[in-house]
Amino acid sequence: MDKGSRTQADLVDSDAIQHDDDTGLEEAATPPLVGDYPNAQEQLAIMGLELHAPVFFLSSVIILIFVMAAIVAPAQADLLFSHTMTWTIEHFDWLFSFTADVVIVFCLLLIVLPLGRIRLGGEGARAEYSVLSWFAMLFACAMGIGLMYWSVAEPMSHYLGFDGTPLGIAPATPEAARLAMGSTLYHWGFHPWAMYGLVALALGFFAFNRGLPLTLRSAFYPLLGKRIWGWPGDIIDSTAVIATVFGLATSLGFGARQISAGLNFLFGTPDTIPVQLGIIVGITVLVIMSMILGIKRGIRRVSQLNLLIVVVLAGFVFAVGPSLAILLMGADSLVAYIQNSGALSLWFNRSDEGWYHQWTVFYWAWWISWAPFVGLFIARISRGRTIRQCLVAILVIPSILTFMWLTIFGGSALLQLQTAGGELLALGNQPSLALFTLLKTLPWSDVTVVLGILAVVVFFVSSSDSASLVADSLASGGSFDSSTSQRVFWATLEGLIASMLLVGGGTLALDALRAGAITTALPFTLVLLLLCGSLAVGLLGEWRLLRQNRR
């Protein structure tokens, strides 16, 4: 029987495994304990929900405290959390930058080393989804909504110097345009995808190849051993739940504002709290409908629709815009990205320290805080793929498509600013309207703006759907197939938190919770570094086992 077809009950008995109980490092390349939680009394059934009690209650209490503080005293909460986030970014900028560089080097090594041939689930495992469906789901979950929001706004900000300019270049100059695109590619390219890929591979390997639960704690088995079943594992999983719920709830709130601004921009509808609440309710209903359909008929179809919309939208903008100029700018931007990546990675002797903290370090913290959620979802849909296939699909191909998207939309915006300025220049620093303003300057703007709003909505549905699946898996002890009502619970909770924040504290409350989510990235930087070591130990053990079996 090959390892890919074994169930947890088929895995070797714990007495047959020789390992160090303190470290979990295996002396032989054999799978560890069966992945079920050894303490059955910690599994709890409440109103039809199957939960792992320590993780559920710890994360719920902390989420409740943060949300109530943001609602009851939004200004004070925003001040406190923002100061905490600012302190974290300013004092640990070196750690964020160092971690991002280490992770990308580690992932690139896995692509070229023989370890890349190891298959998630064992040699007999087969992929559950087609390449197109698999890629559409991971792309929509990981980054699609952010690209809709920042693809125009970020290059504009760097070029005009709203928050300073990268490397202290003079704003509104040809070199500023070149570096604006290069730094945007740097923020959205290989680094964030490497963070997601690392977490996805670690979780997928220890779940599918070692029979452990699909939760973040499982990735630390080689380092913590049986202690992952105790309080260290509970803290790891609880922190991941908090980061997931905070990240999605705040994104949903800010996304509702962007959609509302787009509707106001196009149709003149009121851009008010009631309208934004209606948008949140509508998105939540769509998420619940998708969850009822399941991954194959729900998330997969929504993600395919996402991909279709962005391909049509990007193709249209490229076709009706200055196509040749966009291509030339894209090539120049890629060269600028390669030439300046080293300087953009440094955390000392910066002439643009304010910009560096405001943009680069903030982005690294944001990607890291999202890595547990995105990584776990990608792991969930990647069984049967090899390490190399996963990293190429997660790291290389999405980066190429991201570069294309940013070049088309960001490049078009910068070309307009350099030549005529017009509506984009009058827009100022209003990122929620940047994409719609660009589309308004092109032919068939009424159609394309509606398509852009639809893309934002659909991306939010897929992201919230994926996040609900992840939060449920973490809080239930790694269950692959929990009940639909249980997943609906998490989707409803995210929508409820976003609504409460909007009503109770508005933008200040959302800013406070987002700052809280960013702050959780600090401990996760250490998690990512430890994951590199943990995954390396696990893969080397698997490689030795495979070589023994082939002799």
Side-chain angles (χ1 to χ4, degrees):
M1 180 182 296
D2 62 74
K3 190 155 47 106
S5 62
R6 288 181 299 185
T7 64
Q8 287 185 348
D10 295 321
L11 291 177
V12 294
D13 185 81
S14 60
D15 292 333
I17 301 169
Q18 299 177 354
H19 58 69
D20 185 333
D21 286 341
D22 291 330
T23 65
L25 296 177
E26 300 168 289
E27 295 178 9
T30 50
L33 295 171
V34 174
D36 295 331
Y37 281 89
N39 299 322
Q41 67 271 17
E42 293 183 349
Q43 296 300 113
L44 187 65
I46 302 178
M47 300 176 62
L49 305 179
E50 297 293 331
L51 304 168
H52 185 62
V55 173
F56 176 75
F57 286 117
L58 179 59
S59 58
S60 296
V61 168
I62 294 176
I63 289 171
L64 181 62
I65 291 173
F66 269 77
V67 171
M68 293 308 298
I71 291 173
V72 173
Q76 292 82 353
D78 180 46
L79 184 64
L80 174 62
F81 298 151
S82 295
H83 280 178
T84 303
M85 179 186 70
T86 301
W87 180 87
T88 299
I89 287 176
E90 289 181 352
H91 287 79
F92 292 95
D93 51 0
W94 63 273
L95 182 59
F96 288 116
S97 294
F98 174 75
T99 301
D101 292 339
V102 168
V103 169
I104 194 170
V105 170
F106 180 78
C107 288
L108 291 174
L109 285 174
L110 288 182
I111 291 178
V112 299
L113 291 174
L115 296 176
R117 296 203 294 268
I118 294 174
R119 189 175 299 275
L120 297 181
E123 290 188 290
R126 292 295 176 262
E128 188 175 0
Y129 304 98
S130 68
V131 172
L132 180 60
S133 297
W134 176 49
F135 175 76
M137 286 190 285
L138 71 87
F139 186 81
C141 160
M143 201 171 287
I145 188 60
L147 287 174
M148 295 298 298
Y149 194 88
W150 288 110
S151 58
V152 175
E154 183 177 342
M156 280 180 55
S157 178
H158 300 337
Y159 173 69
L160 297 173
F162 291 140
D163 299 300
T165 57
L167 305 181
I169 198 75
T173 62
E175 184 59 25
R178 185 172 181 270
L179 199 52
M181 285 300 301
S183 57
T184 302
L185 298 181
Y186 175 72
H187 291 150
W188 292 85
F190 293 108
H191 284 82
W193 289 105
M195 297 174 194
Y196 297 157
L198 171 65
V199 177
L201 290 179
L203 296 180
F205 175 78
F206 287 103
F208 301 136
N209 295 64
R210 290 294 183 263
L212 296 170
L214 189 58
T215 65
L216 197 61
R217 74 175 73 201
S218 298
F220 292 90
Y221 187 87
L223 303 179
L224 297 177
K226 293 181 180 180
R227 284 175 291 184
I228 66 170
W229 308 123
W231 65 265
D234 293 336
I235 291 176
I236 291 171
D237 283 348
S238 297
T239 306
V241 172
I242 293 166
T244 298
V245 173
F246 279 7
L248 260 294
T250 53
S251 292
L252 186 57
F254 284 112
R257 294 180 58 206
Q258 184 187 18
I259 296 169
S260 177
L263 293 173
N264 173 265
F265 183 75
L266 184 60
F267 302 113
T269 57
D271 187 10
T272 59
I273 294 294
V275 172
Q276 294 166 14
L277 285 177
I279 292 170
I280 291 175
V281 171
I283 291 176
T284 303
V285 170
L286 292 175
V287 170
I288 291 173
M289 292 172 60
S290 175
M291 301 201 78
I292 291 173
L293 292 173
I295 294 181
K296 290 186 177 180
R297 292 185 299 162
I299 298 178
R300 182 168 66 97
R301 296 298 186 193
V302 172
S303 299
Q304 289 173 339
L305 177 60
N306 278 331
L307 199 57
L308 177 62
I309 292 174
V310 298
V311 167
V312 170
L313 201 56
F316 174 80
V317 173
F318 178 75
V320 302
S323 305
L324 180 59
I326 291 173
L327 286 175
L328 293 175
M329 175 169 280
D332 196 36
S333 300
L334 189 58
V335 172
Y337 164 67
I338 296 172
Q339 288 178 336
N340 294 284
S341 288
L344 291 170
S345 297
L346 295 178
W347 57 84
F348 52 88
N349 296 331
R350 301 277 307 222
S351 60
D352 58 347
E353 186 171 325
W355 179 90
Y356 168 65
H357 288 155
Q358 182 79 11
W359 287 97
T360 302
V361 183
F362 179 88
Y363 265 130
W364 291 173
W366 186 248
W367 301 139
I368 290 171
S369 71
W370 272 56
F373 143 53
V374 177
L376 195 151
F377 178 75
I378 294 176
R380 173 67 180 82
I381 62 175
S382 297
R383 182 185 178 97
R385 308 285 179 182
T386 66
I387 299 294
R388 185 172 292 119
Q389 287 172 343
C390 285
L391 284 176
V392 170
I394 297 171
L395 181 60
V396 180
I397 297 176
S399 295
I400 293 173
L401 294 182
T402 299
F403 290 170
M404 293 172 61
W405 177 272
L406 291 172
T407 297
I408 292 172
F409 286 88
S412 296
L414 291 188
L415 287 170
Q416 283 197 26
L417 288 174
Q418 288 178 296
T419 54
E423 294 184 53
L424 282 174
L425 190 58
L427 175 68
N429 191 15
Q430 299 181 51
S432 61
L433 289 177
L435 174 65
F436 304 131
T437 303
L438 173 67
L439 294 175
K440 198 70 175 177
T441 65
L442 301 174
W444 296 358
S445 59
D446 290 345
V447 175
T448 56
V449 171
V450 170
L451 198 61
I453 294 173
L454 179 61
V456 174
V457 171
V458 177
F459 270 124
F460 266 113
V461 170
S462 58
S463 295
S464 183
D465 204 340
S466 306
S468 302
L469 188 72
V470 167
D472 173 48
S473 179
L474 290 166
S476 64
S479 173
F480 284 9
D481 299 301
S482 59
S483 65
T484 301
S485 60
Q486 189 157 318
R487 299 176 188 177
V488 169
F489 165 79
W490 289 103
T492 305
L493 179 64
E494 291 160 10
L496 184 62
I497 290 175
S499 300
M500 290 170 62
L501 290 171
L502 269 179
V503 173
T507 302
L508 287 175
L510 290 171
D511 285 335
L513 202 63
R514 181 173 63 176
I518 293 296
T519 304
T520 64
L522 181 58
F524 273 128
T525 56
L526 302 178
V527 168
L528 289 184
L529 292 174
L530 289 173
L531 278 184
C532 292
S534 183
L535 181 57
V537 170
L539 291 177
L540 287 171
E542 181 82 358
W543 184 250
R544 289 195 299 269
L545 178 63
L546 291 174
R547 292 183 64 184
Q548 291 172 9
N549 290 342
R550 288 168 182 168
R551 289 175 182 172

